[in-house]
Coordinates of all heavy atoms in Angstrom, one line a residue:
M1 N 58.6 88.9 98.6 CA 59.2 90.2 98.8 C 60.7 90.0 99.1 O 61.5 90.9 98.6 CB 58.6 90.9 100.0 CG 57.2 91.4 99.8 SD 57.1 92.6 98.5 CE 57.5 94.1 99.3
A2 N 61.1 89.0 99.8 CA 62.5 88.8 100.1 C 63.3 88.5 98.8 O 64.4 89.0 98.6 CB 62.7 87.6 101.1
D3 N 62.7 87.7 97.9 CA 63.3 87.4 96.6 C 63.5 88.7 95.8 O 64.5 88.9 95.2 CB 62.5 86.4 95.8 CG 62.5 85.0 96.4 OD1 63.5 84.7 97.2 OD2 61.7 84.2 96.1
R4 N 62.5 89.5 95.8 CA 62.6 90.8 95.1 C 63.7 91.7 95.7 O 64.4 92.3 94.9 CB 61.2 91.4 95.1 CG 61.1 92.6 94.2 CD 59.6 93.1 94.2 NE 59.5 94.2 93.3 CZ 58.4 94.8 93.1 NH1 57.3 94.5 93.8 NH2 58.3 95.8 92.3
A5 N 63.8 91.7 97.0 CA 64.8 92.5 97.6 C 66.2 92.0 97.3 O 67.1 92.8 97.0 CB 64.6 92.5 99.1
R6 N 66.4 90.7 97.3 CA 67.7 90.1 96.9 C 68.0 90.4 95.5 O 69.2 90.8 95.2 CB 67.7 88.6 97.2 CG 68.1 88.2 98.5 CD 68.3 86.7 98.6 NE 67.2 85.9 98.3 CZ 66.2 85.6 99.1 NH1 66.3 86.0 100.4 NH2 65.2 84.8 98.7
A7 N 67.0 90.3 94.6 CA 67.3 90.6 93.2 C 67.7 92.0 93.0 O 68.6 92.4 92.2 CB 66.1 90.2 92.4
T8 N 67.0 92.9 93.7 CA 67.3 94.4 93.5 C 68.7 94.7 94.1 O 69.4 95.4 93.5 CB 66.2 95.2 94.3 OG1 64.9 94.9 93.7 CG2 66.5 96.7 94.2
A9 N 69.0 94.1 95.2 CA 70.3 94.3 95.8 C 71.4 93.8 94.8 O 72.5 94.4 94.7 CB 70.4 93.6 97.2
A10 N 71.2 92.6 94.3 CA 72.2 92.0 93.3 C 72.3 92.9 92.1 O 73.4 93.1 91.6 CB 71.7 90.6 92.9
R11 N 71.2 93.4 91.6 CA 71.3 94.3 90.4 C 72.1 95.6 90.7 O 72.9 96.0 89.9 CB 69.9 94.6 89.9 CG 69.9 95.4 88.7 CD 68.5 95.5 88.0 NE 68.7 96.1 86.7 CZ 67.9 97.1 86.3 NH1 67.0 97.6 87.1 NH2 68.1 97.7 85.1
A12 N 71.8 96.1 91.9 CA 72.5 97.4 92.3 C 74.0 97.1 92.4 O 74.8 97.9 92.0 CB 72.0 97.9 93.6
R13 N 74.4 95.9 93.0 CA 75.8 95.5 93.1 C 76.4 95.4 91.7 O 77.5 95.9 91.5 CB 75.9 94.2 93.9 CG 77.4 93.8 94.1 CD 77.5 92.4 94.8 NE 76.5 91.4 94.3 CZ 76.7 90.7 93.2 NH1 77.7 91.0 92.4 NH2 75.8 89.8 92.8
R14 N 75.7 94.7 90.8 CA 76.3 94.6 89.5 C 76.4 95.9 88.7 O 77.4 96.1 88.1 CB 75.4 93.6 88.6 CG 75.5 92.2 89.0 CD 74.8 91.3 88.0 NE 73.4 91.6 87.7 CZ 72.4 91.2 88.4 NH1 72.5 90.4 89.4 NH2 71.1 91.6 88.1
L15 N 75.5 96.8 88.9 CA 75.6 98.1 88.3 C 76.7 98.9 88.8 O 77.5 99.6 88.1 CB 74.3 98.9 88.4 CG 73.1 98.4 87.5 CD1 71.8 99.1 87.9 CD2 73.4 98.6 86.1
R16 N 76.9 98.8 90.2 CA 78.1 99.5 90.8 C 79.4 99.0 90.3 O 80.3 99.7 90.0 CB 78.0 99.4 92.3 CG 76.9 100.3 92.9 CD 76.9 100.1 94.5 NE 78.1 100.6 95.1 CZ 78.3 101.8 95.5 NH1 77.3 102.7 95.4 NH2 79.4 102.2 96.1
E17 N 79.5 97.7 90.2 CA 80.7 97.0 89.7 C 81.0 97.4 88.2 O 82.1 97.7 87.9 CB 80.6 95.5 89.8 CG 80.7 95.0 91.2 CD 80.4 93.5 91.3 OE1 80.2 92.9 90.3 OE2 80.5 93.0 92.5
Y18 N 79.9 97.5 87.4 CA 80.0 97.9 86.0 C 80.5 99.3 85.9 O 81.4 99.7 85.2 CB 78.7 97.7 85.3 CG 78.7 98.3 83.9 CD1 79.4 97.6 82.9 CD2 78.1 99.5 83.6 CE1 79.4 98.2 81.6 CE2 78.1 100.0 82.4 CZ 78.8 99.4 81.4 OH 78.8 99.9 80.1
L19 N 79.9 100.2 86.7 CA 80.2 101.6 86.7 C 81.7 101.8 87.1 O 82.4 102.6 86.5 CB 79.3 102.4 87.6 CG 79.6 103.9 87.7 CD1 79.5 104.6 86.3 CD2 78.6 104.6 88.6
K20 N 82.1 101.1 88.2 CA 83.4 101.2 88.7 C 84.4 100.8 87.6 O 85.4 101.4 87.4 CB 83.6 100.4 90.0 CG 85.0 100.5 90.6 CD 85.1 99.6 91.8 CE 86.5 99.5 92.4 NZ 87.2 98.4 91.9
G21 N 84.1 99.7 87.0 CA 85.0 99.1 86.0 C 85.2 100.1 84.8 O 86.3 100.3 84.3
E22 N 84.1 100.7 84.4 CA 84.1 101.6 83.2 C 84.9 102.9 83.6 O 85.6 103.5 82.8 CB 82.7 101.9 82.7 CG 82.1 100.8 82.0 CD 82.9 100.3 80.9 OE1 83.2 101.1 80.0 OE2 83.2 99.1 80.8
L23 N 84.7 103.4 84.8 CA 85.4 104.6 85.3 C 86.9 104.3 85.4 O 87.7 105.2 85.1 CB 84.8 105.1 86.6 CG 83.4 105.7 86.6 CD1 83.0 106.1 88.0 CD2 83.4 106.9 85.7
E24 N 87.3 103.1 85.8 CA 88.7 102.7 85.9 C 89.2 102.7 84.5 O 90.4 103.1 84.2 CB 88.9 101.4 86.6 CG 88.7 101.5 88.1 CD 88.8 100.2 88.8 OE1 88.4 99.1 88.2 OE2 89.2 100.2 90.0
R25 N 88.5 102.1 83.6 CA 89.0 101.9 82.2 C 89.2 103.2 81.5 O 90.2 103.4 80.8 CB 88.0 101.0 81.4 CG 88.4 100.7 80.0 CD 87.4 99.8 79.3 NE 86.1 100.5 79.1 CZ 85.9 101.4 78.1 NH1 86.9 101.7 77.3 NH2 84.7 101.9 78.0
T26 N 88.2 104.1 81.7 CA 88.3 105.4 81.0 C 89.0 106.5 81.8 O 89.3 107.6 81.2 CB 86.8 105.9 80.7 OG1 86.1 106.1 81.9 CG2 86.1 104.9 79.7
K27 N 89.3 106.2 83.0 CA 89.9 107.2 83.9 C 89.2 108.5 84.0 O 89.7 109.6 84.0 CB 91.4 107.4 83.5 CG 92.2 106.2 83.6 CD 93.6 106.4 83.2 CE 94.5 105.2 83.4 NZ 94.0 103.9 83.2
L28 N 87.8 108.4 84.0 CA 87.0 109.6 84.1 C 86.4 109.7 85.5 O 86.4 108.7 86.2 CB 85.8 109.5 83.1 CG 86.2 109.6 81.6 CD1 84.9 109.4 80.8 CD2 86.8 110.9 81.3
K29 N 85.9 110.9 85.8 CA 85.1 111.1 87.0 C 83.9 111.9 86.6 O 84.0 112.8 85.8 CB 85.8 111.6 88.2 CG 86.2 113.0 88.2 CD 86.8 113.3 89.6 CE 88.1 114.1 89.4 NZ 88.6 114.6 90.7
L30 N 82.8 111.7 87.2 CA 81.6 112.4 86.9 C 81.3 113.4 88.0 O 81.3 113.0 89.2 CB 80.4 111.4 86.7 CG 80.6 110.3 85.8 CD1 79.4 109.3 85.9 CD2 80.8 110.8 84.4
K31 N 81.0 114.6 87.6 CA 80.7 115.7 88.6 C 79.5 116.5 88.2 O 79.5 117.0 87.1 CB 82.0 116.5 88.8 CG 82.0 117.4 90.0 CD 83.3 117.9 90.3 CE 83.3 118.6 91.6 NZ 84.6 119.1 92.0
A32 N 78.6 116.6 89.1 CA 77.5 117.5 89.0 C 77.4 118.4 90.2 O 78.1 118.1 91.2 CB 76.2 116.6 88.8
P33 N 76.5 119.4 90.2 CA 76.5 120.3 91.4 C 76.2 119.5 92.7 O 76.7 119.9 93.8 CB 75.3 121.2 91.1 CG 75.3 121.2 89.6 CD 75.7 119.9 89.1
D34 N 75.4 118.5 92.6 CA 75.0 117.8 93.9 C 75.4 116.3 93.9 O 75.0 115.5 94.8 CB 73.5 117.8 94.1 CG 72.7 117.2 92.9 OD1 73.3 117.0 91.8 OD2 71.5 117.0 93.0
L35 N 76.3 115.9 93.0 CA 76.7 114.5 92.9 C 78.1 114.4 92.3 O 78.4 115.1 91.3 CB 75.7 113.7 92.0 CG 76.0 112.3 91.8 CD1 75.8 111.4 93.0 CD2 75.2 111.7 90.7
E36 N 78.9 113.5 92.8 CA 80.2 113.2 92.2 C 80.4 111.7 92.3 O 80.2 111.1 93.3 CB 81.3 113.9 93.0 CG 82.7 113.7 92.4 CD 83.8 114.4 93.2 OE1 83.5 115.1 94.2 OE2 85.0 114.2 92.8
V37 N 80.9 111.2 91.2 CA 81.1 109.7 91.1 C 82.6 109.6 90.6 O 82.9 110.1 89.5 CB 80.2 109.0 90.1 CG1 80.5 107.5 90.0 CG2 78.7 109.3 90.5
R38 N 83.4 108.9 91.4 CA 84.8 108.7 91.0 C 85.3 107.4 91.6 O 84.7 106.8 92.5 CB 85.6 109.9 91.5 CG 85.6 110.1 93.0 CD 86.2 111.4 93.5 NE 85.8 111.7 94.8 CZ 86.4 111.3 95.9 NH1 87.4 110.5 95.9 NH2 85.9 111.7 97.1
V39 N 86.4 107.0 91.1 CA 87.1 105.8 91.7 C 88.2 106.3 92.6 O 89.0 107.2 92.2 CB 87.6 104.9 90.6 CG1 88.4 103.8 91.2 CG2 86.5 104.4 89.7
Q40 N 88.3 105.8 93.8 CA 89.3 106.3 94.7 C 90.1 105.1 95.2 O 89.5 104.0 95.4 CB 88.6 106.9 95.9 CG 89.5 107.3 97.0 CD 88.8 108.1 98.1 OE1 87.9 108.9 97.8 NE2 89.1 107.8 99.4
A41 N 91.4 105.2 95.3 CA 92.3 104.1 95.8 C 92.0 103.9 97.3 O 92.0 104.9 98.1 CB 93.7 104.5 95.5
N42 N 91.9 102.7 97.7 CA 91.8 102.3 99.1 C 93.2 102.2 99.7 O 94.2 102.0 98.9 CB 91.2 100.9 99.2 CG 89.7 100.9 98.9 OD1 89.0 101.9 99.1 ND2 89.2 99.8 98.3
P43 N 93.4 102.4 101.0 CA 94.7 102.2 101.6 C 95.1 100.7 101.4 O 94.3 99.8 101.3 CB 94.5 102.4 103.1 CG 93.1 102.9 103.2 CD 92.4 102.7 101.9
P44 N 96.4 100.5 101.2 CA 96.9 99.1 101.0 C 96.5 98.2 102.2 O 96.5 98.7 103.4 CB 98.4 99.2 101.0 CG 98.8 100.6 101.1 CD 97.5 101.4 101.3
R45 N 96.1 97.0 102.0 CA 95.8 96.1 103.1 C 96.7 94.9 103.0 O 97.3 94.5 102.0 CB 94.4 95.6 103.0 CG 94.1 94.8 101.8 CD 92.6 94.3 101.8 NE 92.4 93.6 100.5 CZ 91.2 93.0 100.2 NH1 90.2 93.1 101.1 NH2 91.1 92.4 99.1
V46 N 97.0 94.3 104.2 CA 97.8 93.2 104.3 C 97.1 91.9 103.9 O 96.0 91.6 104.4 CB 98.3 93.0 105.8 CG1 99.2 91.8 106.0 CG2 99.1 94.2 106.2
M47 N 97.7 91.2 102.9 CA 97.1 90.0 102.4 C 98.0 88.8 102.9 O 99.2 88.8 102.6 CB 97.1 89.9 100.9 CG 96.3 91.1 100.3 SD 94.5 91.0 100.8 CE 94.0 89.5 100.1
L48 N 97.5 87.9 103.7 CA 98.3 86.8 104.2 C 98.2 85.6 103.3 O 97.1 85.1 103.1 CB 97.7 86.4 105.6 CG 97.8 87.5 106.7 CD1 97.2 87.0 108.0 CD2 99.2 88.0 106.9
E49 N 99.3 85.3 102.7 CA 99.3 84.2 101.8 C 99.5 82.9 102.5 O 98.9 81.8 102.1 CB 100.4 84.4 100.8 CG 100.2 85.6 99.9 CD 101.4 86.0 99.1 OE1 102.5 85.5 99.3 OE2 101.2 86.9 98.2
D50 N 100.2 82.9 103.6 CA 100.4 81.7 104.4 C 100.6 82.1 105.9 O 101.7 82.3 106.4 CB 101.7 80.9 103.9 CG 101.8 79.6 104.6 OD1 100.9 79.2 105.4 OD2 102.8 78.9 104.3
P51 N 99.5 82.2 106.7 CA 99.6 82.6 108.1 C 100.5 81.7 108.9 O 101.0 82.1 109.9 CB 98.1 82.5 108.5 CG 97.3 82.6 107.3 CD 98.1 82.0 106.2
E52 N 100.6 80.5 108.5 CA 101.5 79.5 109.3 C 102.9 79.9 109.2 O 103.7 79.5 110.1 CB 101.3 78.1 108.7 CG 99.9 77.6 108.9 CD 99.4 77.5 110.3 OE1 100.2 77.1 111.2 OE2 98.2 77.8 110.5
R53 N 103.4 80.7 108.2 CA 104.8 81.1 108.1 C 105.1 82.4 108.8 O 106.2 82.9 108.6 CB 105.1 81.2 106.6 CG 105.1 79.8 105.9 CD 105.4 79.9 104.4 NE 106.5 80.9 104.1 CZ 106.6 81.5 103.0 NH1 105.8 81.3 102.0 NH2 107.6 82.3 102.8
M54 N 104.1 83.0 109.4 CA 104.4 84.3 110.1 C 105.4 84.2 111.2 O 105.4 83.3 112.0 CB 103.1 84.8 110.7 CG 102.1 85.4 109.8 SD 102.6 86.8 109.0 CE 102.5 86.2 107.3
P55 N 106.4 85.1 111.1 CA 107.4 85.2 112.2 C 106.7 85.5 113.5 O 105.7 86.2 113.5 CB 108.4 86.3 111.8 CG 108.2 86.4 110.3 CD 106.7 86.0 110.1
E56 N 107.3 85.1 114.6 CA 106.6 85.3 115.9 C 106.5 86.8 116.3 O 105.6 87.1 117.0 CB 107.4 84.6 117.0 CG 107.3 83.1 117.0 CD 108.0 82.4 118.2 OE1 108.1 83.1 119.2 OE2 108.4 81.3 118.1
D57 N 107.3 87.6 115.7 CA 107.1 89.1 115.9 C 105.8 89.6 115.5 O 105.3 90.6 116.0 CB 108.2 89.9 115.2 CG 109.6 89.5 115.7 OD1 109.7 88.9 116.8 OD2 110.6 89.9 115.0
F58 N 105.1 88.9 114.6 CA 103.9 89.4 114.0 C 102.7 88.5 114.4 O 101.7 88.6 113.8 CB 104.0 89.4 112.5 CG 105.1 90.3 112.0 CD1 106.2 89.7 111.4 CD2 105.1 91.7 112.2 CE1 107.3 90.5 111.0 CE2 106.1 92.4 111.8 CZ 107.2 91.9 111.2
T59 N 102.9 87.7 115.4 CA 101.8 86.9 115.9 C 101.6 87.1 117.4 O 102.5 87.5 118.1 CB 102.0 85.4 115.6 OG1 103.1 84.9 116.2 CG2 102.0 85.2 114.1
E60 N 100.5 86.7 117.9 CA 100.2 86.8 119.3 C 99.3 85.6 119.6 O 98.3 85.3 118.9 CB 99.4 88.1 119.5 CG 98.7 88.3 120.8 CD 98.1 89.6 120.9 OE1 98.7 90.6 121.1 OE2 96.8 89.7 120.7
T61 N 99.7 84.8 120.6 CA 99.0 83.6 121.0 C 98.1 83.9 122.1 O 98.5 84.3 123.2 CB 100.0 82.5 121.4 OG1 100.9 82.3 120.3 CG2 99.3 81.2 121.6
V62 N 96.8 83.7 121.9 CA 95.8 83.8 122.9 C 95.4 82.3 123.2 O 96.1 81.6 123.9 CB 94.6 84.7 122.5 CG1 93.6 84.9 123.6 CG2 95.2 86.0 122.0
S63 N 94.3 81.9 122.6 CA 94.0 80.5 122.6 C 94.2 80.0 121.1 O 94.2 78.8 120.9 CB 92.6 80.2 123.1 OG 91.6 80.9 122.2
T64 N 94.3 81.0 120.2 CA 94.6 80.7 118.8 C 95.6 81.7 118.4 O 95.9 82.7 119.1 CB 93.3 80.8 117.9 OG1 92.8 82.1 118.1 CG2 92.3 79.8 118.3
V65 N 96.2 81.6 117.3 CA 97.2 82.5 116.8 C 96.5 83.7 116.1 O 95.6 83.5 115.3 CB 98.1 81.9 115.7 CG1 99.1 82.9 115.1 CG2 98.9 80.7 116.4
K66 N 96.8 84.9 116.6 CA 96.2 86.1 116.0 C 97.3 86.8 115.2 O 98.4 87.2 115.8 CB 95.7 87.0 117.1 CG 95.2 88.3 116.7 CD 94.7 89.2 117.8 CE 94.2 90.5 117.3 NZ 93.9 91.4 118.5
V67 N 97.1 87.0 114.0 CA 98.1 87.7 113.1 C 97.9 89.2 113.3 O 96.8 89.7 113.2 CB 97.9 87.3 111.6 CG1 98.9 88.1 110.8 CG2 98.1 85.8 111.5
L68 N 99.0 89.9 113.6 CA 99.0 91.4 113.8 C 99.1 92.1 112.5 O 100.2 92.5 112.0 CB 100.1 91.8 114.7 CG 100.1 91.0 116.1 CD1 101.3 91.4 116.9 CD2 98.8 91.4 116.9
R69 N 98.0 92.2 111.8 CA 98.0 92.8 110.4 C 98.5 94.3 110.4 O 99.2 94.6 109.5 CB 96.6 92.8 109.8 CG 96.2 91.4 109.4 CD 94.7 91.4 108.9 NE 94.3 90.1 108.6 CZ 94.2 89.6 107.4 NH1 94.6 90.3 106.4 NH2 93.8 88.4 107.2
A70 N 98.2 95.0 111.4 CA 98.7 96.4 111.4 C 100.2 96.5 111.5 O 100.8 97.3 110.8 CB 98.0 97.2 112.6
E71 N 100.8 95.6 112.4 CA 102.2 95.6 112.5 C 102.9 95.1 111.2 O 103.9 95.7 110.8 CB 102.6 94.7 113.7 CG 104.1 94.6 113.9 CD 104.7 96.0 114.4 OE1 104.0 96.8 114.9 OE2 105.9 96.2 114.1
I72 N 102.3 94.1 110.6 CA 102.8 93.6 109.3 C 102.7 94.7 108.3 O 103.7 94.9 107.5 CB 102.1 92.4 108.8 CG1 102.3 91.2 109.8 CG2 102.4 92.0 107.4 CD1 101.4 90.0 109.6
G73 N 101.6 95.4 108.3 CA 101.4 96.5 107.3 C 102.5 97.6 107.5 O 103.0 98.1 106.5
R74 N 102.8 98.0 108.7 CA 103.8 99.0 109.0 C 105.2 98.5 108.4 O 105.9 99.3 107.8 CB 103.9 99.3 110.5 CG 102.9 100.3 111.0 CD 103.2 100.8 112.4 NE 103.0 99.8 113.4 CZ 101.8 99.4 113.9 NH1 100.7 100.1 113.5 NH2 101.7 98.5 114.8
V75 N 105.5 97.3 108.7 CA 106.8 96.8 108.2 C 106.8 96.7 106.7 O 107.8 97.1 106.0 CB 107.1 95.4 108.8 CG1 108.3 94.7 108.2 CG2 107.3 95.5 110.3
L76 N 105.8 96.2 106.1 CA 105.7 96.2 104.6 C 105.8 97.6 104.0 O 106.5 97.8 103.0 CB 104.4 95.4 104.1 CG 104.4 93.9 104.4 CD1 103.0 93.4 104.1 CD2 105.5 93.2 103.6
K77 N 105.1 98.5 104.6 CA 105.1 99.9 104.0 C 106.5 100.5 104.2 O 106.9 101.4 103.4 CB 104.1 100.8 104.8 CG 102.7 100.4 104.4 CD 101.7 101.3 105.2 CE 100.3 100.8 104.9 NZ 99.3 101.5 105.8
A78 N 107.3 100.0 105.2 CA 108.6 100.5 105.4 C 109.6 99.9 104.3 O 110.8 100.2 104.3 CB 109.1 100.2 106.8
G79 N 109.1 99.0 103.5 CA 109.9 98.4 102.5 C 110.6 97.1 102.8 O 111.4 96.6 102.1
K80 N 110.3 96.6 104.0 CA 110.8 95.3 104.4 C 109.9 94.2 104.0 O 108.7 94.4 103.8 CB 111.1 95.3 105.9 CG 112.1 96.3 106.4 CD 112.2 96.3 107.8 CE 113.2 97.4 108.3 NZ 113.3 97.5 109.7
E81 N 110.4 93.0 103.9 CA 109.6 91.8 103.5 C 109.2 91.0 104.7 O 109.9 91.0 105.7 CB 110.5 90.9 102.6 CG 110.7 91.4 101.2 CD 111.3 90.4 100.3 OE1 111.1 89.1 100.6 OE2 111.9 90.8 99.3
V82 N 108.0 90.5 104.7 CA 107.5 89.6 105.7 C 107.1 88.3 105.0 O 106.2 88.4 104.1 CB 106.2 90.2 106.4 CG1 105.7 89.3 107.4 CG2 106.6 91.5 107.1
P83 N 107.7 87.2 105.3 CA 107.3 86.0 104.6 C 105.8 85.7 104.7 O 105.3 85.7 105.8 CB 108.2 84.9 105.3 CG 109.3 85.7 106.0 CD 108.7 87.0 106.3
G84 N 105.2 85.4 103.6 CA 103.8 85.0 103.6 C 102.8 86.1 103.6 O 101.6 85.9 103.8
A85 N 103.3 87.4 103.4 CA 102.4 88.5 103.4 C 102.8 89.5 102.3 O 104.0 89.5 101.9 CB 102.4 89.2 104.7
R86 N 101.9 90.3 101.8 CA 102.2 91.3 100.8 C 101.1 92.4 100.9 O 100.1 92.2 101.5 CB 102.1 90.7 99.4 CG 100.7 90.1 99.0 CD 100.8 89.5 97.6 NE 99.6 88.7 97.4 CZ 98.4 89.1 97.0 NH1 98.2 90.4 96.8 NH2 97.4 88.3 96.9
L87 N 101.4 93.6 100.4 CA 100.5 94.7 100.4 C 99.7 94.6 99.1 O 100.2 94.3 98.0 CB 101.2 96.0 100.5 CG 101.7 96.4 101.8 CD1 102.4 97.8 101.7 CD2 100.6 96.5 102.9
E88 N 98.4 94.9 99.2 CA 97.6 94.9 98.0 C 96.8 96.2 98.0 O 96.1 96.5 99.0 CB 96.6 93.7 98.0 CG 95.6 93.7 96.8 CD 94.7 92.5 96.9 OE1 93.7 92.6 97.5 OE2 95.1 91.5 96.3
R89 N 96.8 96.9 96.9 CA 96.0 98.2 96.8 C 94.8 97.9 95.9 O 94.9 97.4 94.8 CB 96.8 99.3 96.2 CG 96.0 100.6 96.2 CD 96.9 101.8 95.9 NE 97.9 102.1 96.8 CZ 97.7 102.9 97.9 NH1 96.5 103.5 98.1 NH2 98.7 103.2 98.7
T90 N 93.6 98.3 96.4 CA 92.4 98.1 95.7 C 91.7 99.5 95.5 O 92.3 100.5 96.0 CB 91.4 97.2 96.5 OG1 91.1 97.8 97.7 CG2 92.0 95.8 96.6
T91 N 90.6 99.6 94.8 CA 89.9 100.8 94.6 C 88.5 100.6 95.1 O 88.0 99.5 95.3 CB 89.9 101.2 93.1 OG1 89.3 100.2 92.4 CG2 91.3 101.5 92.7
R92 N 87.8 101.7 95.2 CA 86.4 101.7 95.5 C 85.6 102.8 94.8 O 86.3 103.8 94.4 CB 86.1 101.8 97.0 CG 86.5 103.1 97.6 CD 86.2 103.2 99.1 NE 86.6 104.4 99.7 CZ 87.8 104.7 100.3 NH1 88.7 103.8 100.3 NH2 88.0 105.9 100.7
L93 N 84.4 102.6 94.6 CA 83.6 103.6 93.9 C 83.0 104.6 94.9 O 82.5 104.1 96.0 CB 82.4 102.9 93.1 CG 81.4 103.9 92.4 CD1 82.2 104.6 91.3 CD2 80.3 103.1 91.9
V94 N 83.2 105.9 94.7 CA 82.7 106.9 95.7 C 81.6 107.7 95.0 O 81.9 108.3 93.9 CB 83.9 107.8 96.2 CG1 83.3 108.9 97.1 CG2 85.0 107.0 96.8
I95 N 80.4 107.7 95.5 CA 79.4 108.5 95.0 C 79.0 109.5 96.1 O 78.6 109.1 97.2 CB 78.1 107.7 94.7 CG1 78.5 106.7 93.6 CG2 77.0 108.6 94.2 CD1 77.4 105.7 93.3
S96 N 79.3 110.8 95.9 CA 79.1 111.8 97.0 C 78.3 112.9 96.5 O 78.0 113.1 95.3 CB 80.4 112.3 97.6 OG 81.2 112.7 96.5

């Protein structure tokens, strides 16, 4: 049963990825009275390319270094550069 559940989950994931890819490619959205399928942009997220290069303004030392992604995101969105970080925008499939 566990193998079957894993296979079903993997198939559902592949189908969702395929549908998302085709909707992005065709720039379509599907709408019915009780269902809507569309691709929606996610908010940009901070991608750390090299956490070791983070300026101290964006780190906090506890027992390990904690990168302040929200602060980095605010600075990047304001148009300033942060060494070792960039904004990345992704999309997600919305079925409602």
Side-chain angles (χ1 to χ4, degrees):
M1 290 299 276
D3 289 342
R4 191 172 181 183
R6 271 192 300 277
T8 301
R11 183 166 189 235
R13 180 185 45 78
R14 284 191 308 272
L15 287 171
R16 286 178 64 90
E17 288 172 1
Y18 172 75
L19 178 59
K20 180 179 174 268
E22 290 302 306
L23 289 175
E24 286 175 331
R25 185 180 65 78
T26 60
K27 296 182 178 28
L28 292 176
K29 74 172 133 174
L30 307 173
K31 194 167 188 176
D34 58 345
L35 177 72
E36 181 179 359
V37 180
R38 60 190 161 85
V39 175
Q40 176 176 319
N42 291 328
R45 65 179 175 176
V46 175
M47 300 300 295
L48 300 177
E49 295 167 351
D50 187 4
E52 298 298 319
R53 293 180 39 208
M54 285 293 119
E56 286 187 25
D57 295 347
F58 303 111
T59 60
E60 167 179 280
T61 305
V62 183
S63 61
T64 59
V65 175
K66 177 181 177 185
V67 178
L68 303 175
R69 288 178 183 258
E71 183 63 26
I72 294 169
R74 279 193 286 280
V75 171
L76 290 172
K77 287 176 189 173
K80 298 179 183 173
E81 288 189 26
V82 176
R86 62 184 165 83
L87 285 178
E88 177 180 89
R89 184 171 291 272
T90 59
T91 59
R92 67 180 179 266
L93 178 66
V94 177
I95 301 175
S96 54

